[in-house]
Structures are given as C-alpha cells and as structure tokens.
Amino acid sequence: MRLLLAPMEGLLDHALREVLSCAGGYDLAVTEFARVSATALPARFFRRISPELDAGGRTLAGTPVRVQLLGSDAALMAASAARLATLGPAGIDLNFGCPAPTVNRHRGGAALLGEPELLHRIAVAVRAAMPQGLPLTAKMRLGIDDCGRALDCARALAAGGVAELVVHARTRAEGYRPPAHWEWVGRIADVVDIPVVANGEVWSEADWRRCREVSGVADVMLGRGAVADPFLARRIRAGDALGGRDLDAARAAEWAQLQPLLAQFWVRVLSRVEARHAPGRLKQWVGLLRRNYAQAEALFAALRTVRGLAESEAVLRAHGIHPERGLLAA
C-alpha cells in the first residue's frame, strides 16, 4: 500500500510539504495546482510552485513530487506540460477536483466533471506532449452535483492515457462536508484498468482502515488529516492507532517532535511570503493542529491577536519553538 500527500491550494504548499515529508511516511506528494488559462506557463512559474524541481523533483526528505496542472484548454495544457516535463518533475497530475467557485467559474477543476469528452481530450493532449516515461496522473471528484457521470469521467481519463487516478470521494456540491463516499472509489476502480487511490475524510488510522475496507483499494491520499496530524502517515505504517497507550502522553511526545517542525515551517514561510502574511500562515496550520494537540490550542490562543513577526516569534519561543533551530533545519 502507498500513502500520498494531497495538494491543497492555499494550505499545503512547498513549506508545509517539506515539513510533513520530514515527519515521514509518504511515498509521494502532489503540488497545489498551476492554473493554465491564457497562455502556456513559463518555467519560472513551475519553479515557484514546486522548488523541488531544482532538487531532482523531490523534497529534502526524498519524497517524489508531482506537479499539478489545472485548466480546460487542451492545447494550452499540453504546451504547459511539455515545458514542465523539461524541468524534471516526478510526474504531472491533472486537477479535476477543485471545488472552489472562483476556479469553477473559469472552467477549471471539478466544473469539468460534466464533460467526460473534454477530460479525455485534455488527457490525450497532455500525454502526447510528455516523454513516455514520465507518469501522467489525475485527481477527480465524484461529480458536480451528483455521481451520475463519475464512471464515465474515470473511463475517459483512463482511456486518455492517465496512468493513475485519485478519487476524492465527494461531489463538488458537497465540498468538504462529511461523509466521504468511499464505496464510489471502489465502483470506479472496478471499471478502469489503472490504479485508483482513495481520498477524503481520513483523519486517523481507524479512518484509513475503514476507507480501505469500504473502497477496496490499497492506496490512500491524505489531505487535511495529514495537516492536522503530521505523524498520521508514520502511525499508519506502524499500525498504531494510539488506542493502546495513554493518549495525552502519546500526543505530548509527538508535540515535542512537532516543535522543531513548527520552527522549520516558520522559517520556510518567511522565505516565501511577504512578512505581513507569515503570522496568518502560522495560525492557519496551528489552528488545524488543535484538532489533536492541546498544546496547539494554547499556542493558537496566544497567537490569535498577534500581527507582527517579532511578536509571533516571541510567542513561539514562549511555547518552546525556537525559530533559529528551524533556520538550521531549513
């Protein structure tokens, strides 16, 4: 079985990808999408979204990274893929899963799931523009408002040359609301001859087990669950559901391992975004960590009203997180 780290626009970017891959357990990661609209994207854009391209297409921990493209113009998608392929990614992924209204209004992401024929044309064009040995994969949802065309979309992508399909087991209309319909992942896997990966609503080792049982597929992609629990992939591999130990003690031990990762994340964020945005990015991740760590709840409360860099770093140090150590790790 494999564990994949999901792309998440506005959250799981290069900085967090590096940190989560350092926490361990992932076979593969996918970048947030590169939107292809009016023209083929330049190399500098791909390097910005995936600095891993300058390191052999891998994170510092050695996790391969596929770069994701989003768009509806088959010719422009193909031209962008051809340019991207020269930069040495671990693969190219197509986004047919983003539910964001701003993306969908411009015919991107999950908005295309009503047009299996277009999905096929895009896949064919992109596959033809890529070197034969470079993997082409895709991610899709179950549909726009219902699952009526899910099987058609999956067949169209497989017939178009996609070698692996990640299925986020919800429709666009359902967004990120539970439940995820893992049984539909199994239905899709039954009608295509390519590997299918389950995605959606896996927050724990127990969720992962249920997802595999219901879907019948071996491979799972982790998204928000990975961000809220950075050691989830590692724990899944160890078969550790935290059920046989004192939960508070186990989480406290993990928090001690998380502190240097938070410092590393802070340093990476400072190197990539404007200073005024850095505290917000920090709060975003810590806010999700509150789901599993009482220490994150206390840290988030202290950070809530903080705006500046100096104040943010003072709060981090007060909670045992030292930015200068993150600098060494980065």
Side-chain angles (χ1 to χ4, degrees):
M1 65 93 182
R2 294 177 304 149
L3 293 171
L4 284 64
L5 184 60
M8 298 182 68
E9 178 66 17
L11 175 62
L12 221 168
D13 63 357
H14 170 253
L16 195 48
R17 214 162 41 240
E18 285 286 356
V19 170
L20 293 181
S21 64
C22 282
Y26 292 101
D27 296 284
L28 180 75
V30 182
T31 70
E32 64 275 35
F33 63 76
R35 188 185 301 192
V36 181
S37 54
T39 185
L41 295 173
R44 66 179 181 278
F45 184 91
F46 294 125
R47 286 195 168 96
R48 184 167 73 247
I49 201 171
S50 181
E52 297 95 345
L53 290 169
D54 293 323
R58 294 175 178 266
T59 68
L60 290 179
T63 306
V65 179
R66 293 176 183 159
V67 179
Q68 189 177 79
L69 302 178
L70 177 150
S72 59
D73 186 305
L76 289 178
M77 291 281 281
S80 294
R83 188 168 293 163
L84 171 58
T86 67
L87 304 178
I92 295 177
D93 190 70
L94 304 176
N95 181 318
F96 301 113
C98 179
T102 53
V103 171
N104 292 171
R105 279 197 298 271
H106 293 88
R107 285 175 56 74
L112 303 184
L113 293 172
E115 305 176 67
E117 305 85 359
L118 177 57
L119 268 57
H120 181 262
R121 287 201 304 275
I122 292 171
V124 167
V126 171
R127 179 67 271 175
M130 294 167 53
Q132 193 59 40
L134 187 63
L136 174 64
T137 59
K139 185 177 183 185
M140 60 173 275
R141 282 178 175 253
L142 297 178
I144 297 176
D145 297 308
D146 59 54
C147 304
R149 307 206 74 177
L151 301 184
D152 290 338
C153 288
R155 290 189 187 101
L157 290 168
V162 165
E164 178 177 275
L165 183 61
V166 176
V167 179
H168 184 123
R170 283 179 276 228
T171 64
R172 182 188 72 172
E174 290 171 324
Y176 295 95
R177 296 189 304 274
H181 310 292
W182 296 325
E183 68 278 6
W184 268 95
V185 179
R187 292 178 190 176
I188 288 171
D190 286 341
V191 302
V192 295
D193 293 325
I194 59 173
V196 174
V197 181
N199 174 233
E201 214 60 26
V202 177
W203 296 90
S204 67
E205 194 263 357
D207 290 339
W208 169 78
R209 289 188 182 279
R210 286 195 299 272
C211 177
R212 295 183 79 204
E213 290 168 3
V214 173
S215 69
V217 304
D219 302 333
V220 176
M221 175 176 275
L222 305 178
R224 291 177 300 159
V227 178
D229 186 347
F231 304 109
L232 176 58
R234 199 168 74 185
R235 196 179 307 112
I236 287 171
R237 292 200 180 281
D240 182 2
L242 290 178
R245 295 181 284 150
D246 181 290
L247 182 59
D248 290 340
R251 288 300 191 189
E254 288 184 348
W255 183 256
Q257 298 175 64
L258 251 178
Q259 288 173 313
L261 294 179
L262 279 160
Q264 183 180 346
F265 174 73
W266 174 250
V267 170
R268 291 192 179 281
V269 166
L270 286 177
S271 72
R272 293 183 59 81
V273 306
E274 293 181 33
R276 61 193 176 94
H277 296 310
R281 288 296 315 282
L282 179 63
K283 292 174 198 177
Q284 186 183 35
W285 188 24
V286 174
L288 274 166
L289 290 173
R290 290 184 297 166
R291 185 182 178 103
N292 293 299
Y293 300 96
Q295 299 88 344
E297 187 70 59
L299 176 57
F300 186 81
L303 286 169
R304 188 187 298 272
T305 59
V306 168
R307 296 288 183 270
L309 298 186
E311 292 173 287
S312 297
E313 293 194 356
V315 170
L316 288 173
R317 287 192 175 90
H319 287 258
I321 300 160
H322 302 281
E324 61 275 10
R325 297 177 188 172
L327 186 61
L328 292 174

